[in-house]
Amino acid sequence: PAAAAAAAAAAAAAPPKPRKTKIHFVPVGSAPLMKKTKFAIASDQRFSSVTNFLRKMLKLSGTGGSLFLYINCFVPSPDQLVGDLDECFSVRGELVVHYSFQEAWG
């Protein structure tokens, strides 16, 4: 009983884990298809972290290579929260992010 009470107290004291958002990356135009296209990112992250993550995955050095990200044919602001975008634009529980090396949609 004492061990169960201690475990319950520890669980109550632990901070809640941030909610995760499933992101599905879809290439557009000449952008390469990645081997893994679905990732989970903390919902409290800014969209700029998604851009930085994808730059690393595609091995784009610094700011030299152009990378355009779209959700439903619009460009989200870098300071928008991933969780907010997920609530408004998710499709079947995933936030679909199209990426391209050139402008794909005006």
Side-chain angles (χ1 to χ4, degrees):
K17 292 188 177 185
R19 193 171 56 90
K20 296 279 189 166
T21 295
K22 292 178 188 173
I23 296 186
H24 183 183
F25 291 110
V26 179
V28 176
S30 64
L33 176 64
M34 298 186 298
K35 287 183 182 178
K36 182 178 177 186
T37 60
K38 296 182 181 183
F39 298 89
I41 296 178
S43 297
D44 61 353
Q45 294 285 322
R46 304 267 177 210
F47 193 72
S48 60
S49 65
V50 174
T51 303
N52 294 336
F53 174 78
L54 189 57
R55 283 188 161 285
K56 288 178 189 173
M57 295 299 295
L58 295 173
K59 297 180 175 86
L60 294 175
S61 60
T63 58
S66 295
L67 181 63
F68 299 90
L69 300 182
Y70 301 92
I71 296 175
N72 286 355
C73 301
F74 80 94
V75 179
S77 172
D79 64 341
Q80 284 187 289
L81 292 176
V82 172
D84 292 344
L85 292 168
D86 181 45
E87 287 178 19
C88 295
F89 302 106
S90 68
V91 177
R92 293 184 294 277
E94 297 177 339
L95 184 62
V96 179
V97 177
H98 294 86
Y99 63 95
S100 177
F101 293 149
Q102 306 90 11
E103 277 192 66
W105 290 284

